[in-house]
């Protein structure tokens, strides 16, 4: 099942295109940076599993 991205959601669409064309190392680096950002923001309030779920939702 695929999800349709709204045309007015250009930043998300551009990010998707960027990640499709990116090298795996760049994708990993971006994911780890996002996780660090969420750990900093939510680390004291959320478990590691919850933070990982936020990162996965954001990436996917």
């Amino acid at each position: 099942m695929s999800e349709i991205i709204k045309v007015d959601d250009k930043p998300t669409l551009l990010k998707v295109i960027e990640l499709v064309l990116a090298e795996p190392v760049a994708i990993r680096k971006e994911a780890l940076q996002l996780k660090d950002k969420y750990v900093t923001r939510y680390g004291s309030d959320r478990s590691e599993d919850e933070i990982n779920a936020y990162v996965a939702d954001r990436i996917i």
Side-chain angles (χ1 to χ4, degrees):
M1 180 183 293
S2 63
E3 187 174 325
I4 297 174
I5 298 173
K6 296 178 183 176
V7 175
D8 61 342
D9 197 4
K10 289 181 184 177
T12 301
L13 181 59
L14 292 174
K15 191 65 170 178
V16 168
I17 292 169
E18 178 183 316
L19 288 175
V20 167
L21 298 175
E23 293 291 322
V25 173
I27 295 169
R28 183 176 190 278
K29 180 180 174 186
E30 179 113 9
L32 291 174
Q33 286 175 341
L34 184 60
K35 183 175 180 178
D36 287 343
K37 176 181 169 184
Y38 283 167
V39 166
T40 300
R41 183 181 293 173
Y42 302 114
S44 61
D45 298 331
R46 305 286 193 273
S47 70
E48 185 173 352
D49 287 340
E50 289 174 311
I51 291 171
N52 289 339
Y54 289 147
V55 172
D57 286 344
R58 180 73 174 154
I59 292 171
I60 298 170

